[in-house]
PDB file of all heavy atoms in Angstrom:
ATOM      1  N   ARG A 606     -11.709   4.095 -12.336  1.00  0.00           N
ATOM      2  CA  ARG A 606     -10.634   4.124 -13.337  1.00  0.00           C
ATOM      3  C   ARG A 606     -10.142   5.529 -13.670  1.00  0.00           C
ATOM      4  O   ARG A 606      -8.972   5.734 -13.944  1.00  0.00           O
ATOM      5  CB  ARG A 606     -11.069   3.405 -14.616  1.00  0.00           C
ATOM      6  CG  ARG A 606     -11.317   1.941 -14.414  1.00  0.00           C
ATOM      7  CD  ARG A 606     -10.041   1.210 -14.123  1.00  0.00           C
ATOM      8  NE  ARG A 606     -10.313  -0.213 -13.949  1.00  0.00           N
ATOM      9  CZ  ARG A 606      -9.593  -1.019 -13.226  1.00  0.00           C
ATOM     10  NH1 ARG A 606      -8.555  -0.574 -12.593  1.00  0.00           N
ATOM     11  NH2 ARG A 606      -9.899  -2.286 -13.116  1.00  0.00           N
ATOM     12  N   LEU A 623       5.070  -3.933  -6.917  1.00  0.00           N
ATOM     13  CA  LEU A 623       3.994  -4.900  -6.714  1.00  0.00           C
ATOM     14  C   LEU A 623       4.319  -6.250  -7.344  1.00  0.00           C
ATOM     15  O   LEU A 623       3.946  -7.299  -6.801  1.00  0.00           O
ATOM     16  CB  LEU A 623       2.666  -4.330  -7.212  1.00  0.00           C
ATOM     17  CG  LEU A 623       2.202  -3.097  -6.410  1.00  0.00           C
ATOM     18  CD1 LEU A 623       0.983  -2.464  -7.057  1.00  0.00           C
ATOM     19  CD2 LEU A 623       1.944  -3.430  -4.963  1.00  0.00           C
ATOM     20  N   GLU A 629       8.056 -12.195  -3.729  1.00  0.00           N
ATOM     21  CA  GLU A 629       8.508 -12.454  -2.351  1.00  0.00           C
ATOM     22  C   GLU A 629       7.420 -13.058  -1.474  1.00  0.00           C
ATOM     23  O   GLU A 629       7.716 -13.789  -0.538  1.00  0.00           O
ATOM     24  CB  GLU A 629       9.022 -11.163  -1.700  1.00  0.00           C
ATOM     25  CG  GLU A 629      10.394 -10.797  -2.156  1.00  0.00           C
ATOM     26  CD  GLU A 629      11.072  -9.827  -1.204  1.00  0.00           C
ATOM     27  OE1 GLU A 629      10.895  -9.941   0.031  1.00  0.00           O
ATOM     28  OE2 GLU A 629      11.784  -8.953  -1.718  1.00  0.00           O
ATOM     29  N   HIS A 645      -5.340  14.116 -16.513  1.00  0.00           N
ATOM     30  CA  HIS A 645      -4.614  15.360 -16.797  1.00  0.00           C
ATOM     31  C   HIS A 645      -4.288  16.125 -15.516  1.00  0.00           C
ATOM     32  O   HIS A 645      -3.978  17.313 -15.573  1.00  0.00           O
ATOM     33  CB  HIS A 645      -5.405  16.224 -17.769  1.00  0.00           C
ATOM     34  CG  HIS A 645      -5.662  15.528 -19.073  1.00  0.00           C
ATOM     35  ND1 HIS A 645      -4.659  15.268 -19.986  1.00  0.00           N
ATOM     36  CD2 HIS A 645      -6.787  14.993 -19.598  1.00  0.00           C
ATOM     37  CE1 HIS A 645      -5.156  14.625 -21.013  1.00  0.00           C
ATOM     38  NE2 HIS A 645      -6.456  14.443 -20.812  1.00  0.00           N
ATOM     39  N   HIS A 652      -9.246  15.049  -1.791  1.00  0.00           N
ATOM     40  CA  HIS A 652      -7.835  15.049  -1.432  1.00  0.00           C
ATOM     41  C   HIS A 652      -7.165  16.397  -1.668  1.00  0.00           C
ATOM     42  O   HIS A 652      -7.500  17.109  -2.605  1.00  0.00           O
ATOM     43  CB  HIS A 652      -7.084  13.987  -2.242  1.00  0.00           C
ATOM     44  CG  HIS A 652      -7.603  12.607  -2.052  1.00  0.00           C
ATOM     45  ND1 HIS A 652      -7.377  11.892  -0.902  1.00  0.00           N
ATOM     46  CD2 HIS A 652      -8.353  11.814  -2.841  1.00  0.00           C
ATOM     47  CE1 HIS A 652      -7.956  10.713  -0.998  1.00  0.00           C
ATOM     48  NE2 HIS A 652      -8.572  10.638  -2.156  1.00  0.00           N
ATOM     49  N   ARG A 659       1.830  11.669  -8.924  1.00  0.00           N
ATOM     50  CA  ARG A 659       3.065  11.215  -8.285  1.00  0.00           C
ATOM     51  C   ARG A 659       2.834  10.579  -6.916  1.00  0.00           C
ATOM     52  O   ARG A 659       3.791  10.207  -6.252  1.00  0.00           O
ATOM     53  CB  ARG A 659       4.054  12.373  -8.155  1.00  0.00           C
ATOM     54  CG  ARG A 659       4.504  12.902  -9.514  1.00  0.00           C
ATOM     55  CD  ARG A 659       5.512  14.026  -9.389  1.00  0.00           C
ATOM     56  NE  ARG A 659       4.927  15.137  -8.672  1.00  0.00           N
ATOM     57  CZ  ARG A 659       5.603  15.908  -7.817  1.00  0.00           C
ATOM     58  NH1 ARG A 659       6.863  15.696  -7.576  1.00  0.00           N
ATOM     59  NH2 ARG A 659       5.004  16.901  -7.211  1.00  0.00           N
ATOM     60  N   LYS A 672     -13.620 -15.883   5.568  1.00  0.00           N
ATOM     61  CA  LYS A 672     -14.773 -16.327   6.343  1.00  0.00           C
ATOM     62  C   LYS A 672     -15.674 -15.164   6.721  1.00  0.00           C
ATOM     63  O   LYS A 672     -16.046 -15.000   7.869  1.00  0.00           O
ATOM     64  CB  LYS A 672     -14.298 -17.064   7.596  1.00  0.00           C
ATOM     65  CG  LYS A 672     -13.552 -18.336   7.266  1.00  0.00           C
ATOM     66  CD  LYS A 672     -13.127 -19.060   8.510  1.00  0.00           C
ATOM     67  CE  LYS A 672     -12.387 -20.331   8.134  1.00  0.00           C
ATOM     68  NZ  LYS A 672     -11.855 -21.015   9.293  1.00  0.00           N
ATOM     69  N   PRO A 731      11.792  -4.676  10.950  1.00  0.00           N
ATOM     70  CA  PRO A 731      13.125  -4.130  10.744  1.00  0.00           C
ATOM     71  C   PRO A 731      13.819  -3.809  12.067  1.00  0.00           C
ATOM     72  O   PRO A 731      13.210  -3.920  13.133  1.00  0.00           O
ATOM     73  CB  PRO A 731      12.879  -2.864   9.924  1.00  0.00           C
ATOM     74  CG  PRO A 731      11.498  -2.448  10.264  1.00  0.00           C
ATOM     75  CD  PRO A 731      10.758  -3.712  10.577  1.00  0.00           C
ATOM     76  N   TRP A 739      12.274   5.411  10.035  1.00  0.00           N
ATOM     77  CA  TRP A 739      11.087   5.264   9.214  1.00  0.00           C
ATOM     78  C   TRP A 739       9.769   5.647   9.875  1.00  0.00           C
ATOM     79  O   TRP A 739       8.805   5.939   9.182  1.00  0.00           O
ATOM     80  CB  TRP A 739      10.967   3.810   8.740  1.00  0.00           C
ATOM     81  CG  TRP A 739      12.071   3.371   7.813  1.00  0.00           C
ATOM     82  CD1 TRP A 739      12.939   4.184   7.131  1.00  0.00           C
ATOM     83  CD2 TRP A 739      12.404   2.043   7.468  1.00  0.00           C
ATOM     84  NE1 TRP A 739      13.792   3.425   6.391  1.00  0.00           N
ATOM     85  CE2 TRP A 739      13.498   2.116   6.566  1.00  0.00           C
ATOM     86  CE3 TRP A 739      11.907   0.803   7.821  1.00  0.00           C
ATOM     87  CZ2 TRP A 739      14.079   0.976   6.020  1.00  0.00           C
ATOM     88  CZ3 TRP A 739      12.479  -0.311   7.276  1.00  0.00           C
ATOM     89  CH2 TRP A 739      13.559  -0.230   6.382  1.00  0.00           C
TER      90      TRP A 739
END
Side-chain angles (χ1 to χ4, degrees):
R606 296 292 181 207
L623 295 173
E629 282 199 37
H645 301 290
H652 301 286
R659 296 182 299 144
K672 296 181 180 175
W739 295 344

